[in-house]
Amino acid sequence: MGMRRQDEERAADRVERLMARILAGRRLEASPSDAAERQAIVMGARLAGSRESYPRMSPAFRRRLARLVASGAPPARAIPRRAALAAALSVAVGAVGGAFLERLTGLGRPGEPAEERRASPKREVLEPKAALGRWADTGIHVSELAENVPQRVVAGAIGAFVVRRGRQVMGMSAMCTHLPCALVWRAEDRVFLCPCHGLTFDVQGQSLDLRYPLPALPLVRVRVRDDGRVEVLGT
């Protein structure tokens, strides 16, 4: 019993250290062996993410947390100290709701099929503040856009790809959602490639990495003038 008690104390100490790092906005240092504590870790992440102040969690933090939450490891038998920690965190973040966790991990609602989540992904929109935004002429006429062939444009501080689909023209960010790196369009493979990390996105802007799917490329506002010129909302 004494050895078991010591093991429980060490496990509880580790959970508390993980929580302290999360709530301080620092990098998650969890391993697969911590999968049994994912409830407490998720609670701490939701609490940290509900704050509007910086620092915010990095993409690497979100990926590690998503893998931990999605792991299939069976939960270990709860012990009083860890259970108390998870319960306390649950009370603290009760008002936050599940929206943050879905946004953080991309896992969606519990029990929601992965196919449905991929079919209706949530997309961010790059939109400058009203005082700074302006419509920039891309120099492209809509007739010059081939169907489903992206063209790279710049609108002030915003780099984007514009794509025509039928009569609609959409725009999406030209920056990888893993780390800031300008994407290139590989026409032969019909993918956006991140030359910094080798990650790819399809022509819709959806991540093609099945093991570590990234957020979709944020959308950029596009309009076509009466004379057919394509404009992008930039800075």
Side-chain angles (χ1 to χ4, degrees):
M1 289 296 292
M3 183 64 68
R4 180 178 178 181
R5 177 70 176 181
Q6 291 177 2
D7 290 342
E8 291 177 349
E9 287 296 321
R10 282 195 292 269
D13 288 341
R14 175 161 177 75
V15 173
E16 287 181 352
R17 288 195 298 271
L18 288 173
M19 290 302 96
R21 291 185 63 86
I22 291 173
L23 295 177
R26 300 173 66 186
R27 184 168 63 88
L28 175 64
E29 292 186 346
S31 66
S33 63
D34 295 308
E37 318 304 339
R38 60 184 180 274
Q39 179 184 5
I41 294 172
V42 169
M43 290 295 182
R46 289 172 62 187
L47 179 59
S50 67
R51 302 175 303 186
E52 295 184 357
S53 59
Y54 286 86
R56 293 181 179 173
M57 283 175 281
S58 67
F61 180 102
R62 292 195 298 271
R63 288 193 300 276
R64 287 175 63 84
L65 180 60
R67 292 198 297 271
L68 183 64
V69 174
S71 67
R77 181 179 179 182
I79 61 177
R81 188 170 162 196
R82 284 180 284 171
L85 175 61
L89 286 168
S90 179
V91 171
V93 300
V96 177
F100 169 74
L101 179 60
E102 180 176 349
R103 189 166 62 251
L104 173 72
T105 65
L107 296 178
R109 297 183 299 275
E112 181 184 15
E115 292 76 10
E116 291 185 13
R117 293 197 298 271
R118 287 194 292 268
S120 57
K122 296 183 182 298
R123 298 288 287 271
E124 294 185 15
V125 178
L126 292 182
E127 190 167 14
K129 292 184 177 180
L132 302 175
R134 67 178 186 86
W135 289 97
D137 187 345
T138 63
I140 299 173
H141 192 276
V142 67
S143 63
E144 299 171 352
L145 290 173
E147 182 88 5
N148 282 319
V149 178
Q151 287 201 33
R152 180 76 155 80
V153 298
V154 176
I158 293 180
F161 284 99
V162 291
V163 186
R164 182 177 66 81
R165 297 193 179 96
R167 296 183 177 182
Q168 300 292 324
V169 179
M170 70 167 291
M172 66 190 90
S173 172
M175 301 298 289
C176 179
T177 52
H178 175 216
L179 289 174
C181 189
L183 299 168
V184 294
W185 171 248
R186 289 176 58 109
E188 62 274 22
D189 300 319
R190 295 194 57 76
V191 298
F192 294 108
L193 170 68
C194 176
C196 298
H197 318 104
L199 302 175
T200 55
F201 300 81
D202 64 19
V203 72
Q204 305 283 347
Q206 300 292 334
S207 172
L208 291 174
D209 193 321
L210 298 179
R211 294 173 304 166
Y212 307 112
L214 299 173
L217 300 179
L219 298 176
V220 174
R221 299 208 181 275
V222 177
R223 71 181 184 186
V224 179
R225 297 189 329 211
D226 291 341
D227 61 1
R229 303 280 286 190
V230 178
E231 295 185 331
V232 170
L233 183 61
T235 59

